[in-house]
């Protein structure tokens, strides 16, 4: 599993491993050719699977693992039925519930109706994002028989800038946009202050987070000054800046969920206030990804940085190509050099030095902007107890859940 899953789980350790030896039934000895600092952070990304249950392309053919539940039934894009694994090795984490039915309900408003009608017991038990529209959470909090839990941390709503072409190839324009967004107003006016505003790309209190840089904050006057320095003026008095006879008009590519649409409209308004015209393209996931991969955008809703951030490096920081989420973060050779140095740091002091330099480069170049923290929210019937948010946003812990 360690060898097989590394390339499919964005882990880089196989490049540095010399050999893996079995000491006994419960112990492996891993020898490296050189220091490799993130190994213990990457290991939790690895699935434990039998060789015969996977193919040669990272696909699971038969779901046999080591977890607390066993997959009993699966219908793609419809449902999965899990039953408790009574032979689960971790007796302290043995689930109390015997069966879990995961239903796929793509429409976010339909999920809320399913909870209210009693069709499902809970919604929002998702991996690492806010799957319940923040606008609907106060309504759920007031609904008899329903409780809501909100995590204190999460990933950050992030927007990639197309720094490879067009107006946003100028860093002054990118920074102007980052300063033009009223994050506090956005969270207050649209989302009842449930998401928390931030101009960071990752929360600094996460391991190896951006502790040495300041977040972008709302400063429309600074934004206007940067645009003027970039040569933009409103020569015809229509409220939209122009340069060399061309108006400053941008395409904002986003998804079709309620929060995504509403956030895009708020960005559009803020940018109009500083003289930038924005066309919003709100598309379903596959259509959005196709345009993102072609670079047909100026601003694109982006997959956020995740914690620990070393997981993000191999996936979206090793080059400056377009992918499903816009422009990647490997915008120059020094960034790519620092990634190698982070991987092979000999001690924590070295590691922190390289991370600090990386974050400084990212924030100075401004390849993307963060807007607000998307906390996970769990809405459930009031006869359910024991759910908790795990510190790892990619892990769902049902071990203590009971239904009264």
């Amino acid at each position: 599993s360690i060898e097989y899953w590394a390339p499919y789980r964005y882990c880089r350790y196989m490049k540095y491993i010399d050999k893996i030896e079995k000491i006994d039934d419960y112990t492996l000895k891993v020898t490296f050719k050189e220091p490799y600092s993130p190994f213990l952070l990457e290991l939790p990304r690895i699935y434990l699977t039998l060789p015969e249950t996977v193919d040669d392309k990272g696909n699971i053919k038969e779901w046999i693992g080591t977890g607390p539940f066993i997959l009993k039934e699966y219908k793609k894009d419809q449902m999965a039925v899990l039953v408790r694994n009574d032979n689960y090795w971790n007796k302290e984490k043995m689930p109390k519930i015997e069966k879990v039915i995961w239903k796929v309900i793509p429409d976010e408003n339909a999920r809320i109706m399913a909870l209210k009608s009693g069709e499902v017991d809970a919604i929002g038990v998702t991996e690492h994002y806010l799957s319940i529209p923040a606008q609907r959470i106060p309504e759920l909090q007031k609904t008899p028989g329903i409780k809501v839990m909100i995590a204190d941390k999460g990933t950050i709503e992030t927007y990639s800038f197309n720094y490879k072409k067009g107006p946003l190839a100028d860093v002054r324009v990118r920074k102007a946009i980052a300063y033009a967004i009223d994050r506090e107003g956005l969270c207050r006016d649209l989302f009842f202050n449930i998401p928390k505003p931030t101009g960071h790309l990752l929360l600094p209190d996460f391991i190896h987070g951006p502790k040495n840089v300041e977040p972008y904050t709302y400063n429309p006057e600074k934004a206007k000054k940067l645009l003027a320095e970039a040569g933009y003026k409103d020569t015809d008095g229509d409220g939209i800046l122009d340069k060399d006879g061309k108006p400053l008009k941008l395409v904002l590519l986003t998804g079709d969920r309620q929060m995504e649409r509403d956030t895009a409209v708020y960005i559009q308004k803020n940018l109009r206030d500083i003289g930038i015209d924005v066309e919003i393209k709100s598309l379903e996931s596959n259509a959005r990804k196709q345009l993102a991969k072609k670079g047909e955008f100026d601003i694109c809703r982006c997959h956020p940085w995740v914690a620990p951030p070393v997981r993000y490096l191999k996936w979206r920081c090793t080059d400056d190509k377009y992918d499903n989420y816009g422009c990647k973060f490997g915008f120059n050779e020094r960034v790519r050099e620092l990634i190698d140095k982070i991987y092979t740091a000999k001690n924590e002091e070295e590691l922190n030095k390289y991370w600090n330099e990386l974050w400084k480069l990212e924030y100075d170049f401004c390849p993307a902007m963060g807007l607000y923290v998307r906390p996970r929210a769990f809405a459930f019937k009031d006869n359910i107890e024991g759910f908790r948010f795990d510190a790892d946003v990619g892990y769902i812990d049902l071990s203590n859940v009971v239904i009264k």
Side-chain angles (χ1 to χ4, degrees):
S1 293
I2 290 176
E3 295 171 337
Y4 175 83
W5 283 110
Y8 304 115
R9 302 296 292 161
Y10 301 107
C11 299
R12 209 177 184 187
Y13 52 73
M14 287 306 300
K15 176 181 175 181
Y16 300 90
I17 287 179
D18 181 35
K19 57 184 176 180
I20 301 175
E21 302 170 87
K22 176 184 174 181
I23 303 303
D24 55 47
D25 287 346
Y26 300 97
T27 308
L28 286 178
K29 181 180 178 181
V30 181
T31 305
F32 289 86
K33 303 171 189 174
E34 58 183 310
Y36 186 71
S37 66
F39 183 57
L40 294 181
L41 294 174
E42 288 186 338
L43 272 185
R45 300 283 297 159
I46 299 305
Y47 301 136
L48 296 180
T49 52
L50 297 172
E52 62 269 22
T53 64
V54 294
D55 64 15
D56 60 355
K57 297 178 181 177
N59 299 309
I60 297 176
K61 299 187 295 184
E62 188 176 0
W63 290 86
I64 299 175
T66 61
F69 291 96
I70 298 170
L71 182 64
K72 183 178 180 181
E73 183 181 355
Y74 175 67
K75 295 180 181 178
K76 186 178 180 180
D77 297 330
Q78 296 181 48
M79 64 177 293
V81 179
L82 307 176
V83 296
R84 184 174 63 199
N85 178 8
D86 291 328
N87 295 315
Y88 183 44
W89 62 273
N90 190 347
K91 301 305 179 185
E92 293 181 1
K93 288 281 189 176
M94 179 68 73
K96 296 175 175 58
I97 50 178
E98 297 180 357
K99 185 178 182 181
V100 180
I101 301 173
W102 293 92
K103 295 193 69 173
V104 178
I105 306 177
D107 183 80
E108 53 200 3
N109 293 309
R111 290 196 291 270
I112 291 172
M113 288 302 300
L115 176 63
K116 286 185 169 184
S117 68
E119 179 186 344
V120 299
D121 297 299
I123 59 175
V125 191
T126 51
E127 183 180 302
H128 60 261
Y129 67 97
L130 180 58
S131 67
I132 303 172
Q135 302 95 316
R136 303 292 301 274
I137 288 177
E139 167 196 338
L140 290 171
Q141 290 171 323
K142 296 174 183 176
T143 302
I146 291 177
K147 292 183 177 181
V148 178
M149 291 175 60
I150 300 175
D152 61 351
K153 289 186 177 67
T155 54
I156 293 173
E157 183 75 0
T158 305
Y159 289 79
S160 170
F161 295 141
N162 193 342
Y163 57 80
K164 294 165 70 70
K165 64 182 181 180
L168 272 64
D170 189 326
V171 68
R172 293 169 295 188
V173 180
R174 300 197 297 272
K175 289 185 175 183
I177 293 171
Y179 283 121
I181 309 303
D182 181 4
R183 295 164 177 82
E184 287 77 11
L186 189 160
C187 293
R188 179 189 65 243
D189 299 343
L190 297 185
F191 305 136
F192 302 94
N193 285 321
I194 290 168
K196 301 305 178 185
T198 183
H200 277 299
L201 295 175
L202 181 73
L203 292 177
D205 48 352
F206 282 125
I207 184 172
H208 304 139
K211 299 174 178 61
N212 63 313
V213 289
E214 294 297 320
Y216 284 87
T217 55
Y218 184 46
N219 192 334
E221 294 309 312
K222 190 169 185 176
K224 292 175 184 177
K225 182 180 178 181
L226 285 164
L227 291 173
E229 291 174 0
Y232 287 94
K233 300 176 182 178
D234 182 7
T235 59
D236 56 9
D238 66 350
I240 300 301
L241 300 173
D242 54 84
K243 181 179 179 180
D244 301 328
K246 295 181 180 179
L248 185 49
K249 182 175 181 179
L250 306 177
V251 172
L252 194 165
L253 186 58
T254 190
D256 59 356
R257 296 189 183 99
Q258 185 176 348
M259 286 186 68
E260 297 163 357
R261 296 193 305 268
D262 290 352
T263 298
V265 171
Y266 205 93
I267 293 172
Q268 183 185 51
K269 175 186 177 298
N270 279 171
L271 295 187
R272 177 80 188 202
D273 290 342
I274 64 166
I276 300 177
D277 190 18
V278 175
E279 176 191 355
I280 297 171
K281 291 187 177 181
S282 175
L283 305 172
E284 61 84 26
S285 180
N286 288 331
R288 179 190 57 75
K289 288 177 180 178
Q290 287 301 314
L291 290 183
K293 284 192 290 187
K294 294 176 182 177
E296 296 180 12
F297 66 91
D298 296 292
I299 306 171
C300 179
R301 186 174 182 271
C302 173
H303 195 290
W305 281 74
V306 296
V310 70
R311 288 163 45 182
Y312 203 77
L313 294 182
K314 183 178 180 183
W315 179 31
R316 301 204 69 237
C317 299
T318 56
D319 58 59
D320 63 353
K321 296 177 182 177
Y322 297 118
D323 66 3
N324 288 338
Y325 304 100
C327 286
K328 294 186 186 180
F329 288 80
F331 49 80
N332 66 25
E333 187 59 36
R334 182 57 182 167
V335 169
R336 297 187 281 271
E337 289 174 359
L338 284 169
I339 291 173
D340 285 329
K341 289 180 179 298
I342 286 169
Y343 280 125
T344 57
K346 298 179 177 64
N347 53 58
E348 195 67 21
E349 183 180 357
E350 265 193 18
L351 190 58
N352 289 333
K353 182 181 75 170
Y354 297 139
W355 270 114
N356 285 344
E357 184 180 348
L358 179 69
W359 286 123
K360 182 71 167 53
L361 288 172
E362 294 288 349
Y363 278 53
D364 286 347
F365 188 82
C366 196
M369 65 176 175
L371 296 186
Y372 52 81
V373 180
R374 305 181 302 175
R376 290 169 292 165
F378 175 49
F380 53 99
K381 292 180 181 177
D382 61 6
N383 64 333
I384 295 176
E385 297 179 358
F387 182 79
R388 61 180 287 272
F389 291 109
D390 194 82
D392 182 345
V393 296
Y395 182 70
I396 298 169
D397 184 1
L398 302 180
S399 58
N400 292 315
V401 173
V402 294
I403 302 175
K404 297 291 187 180

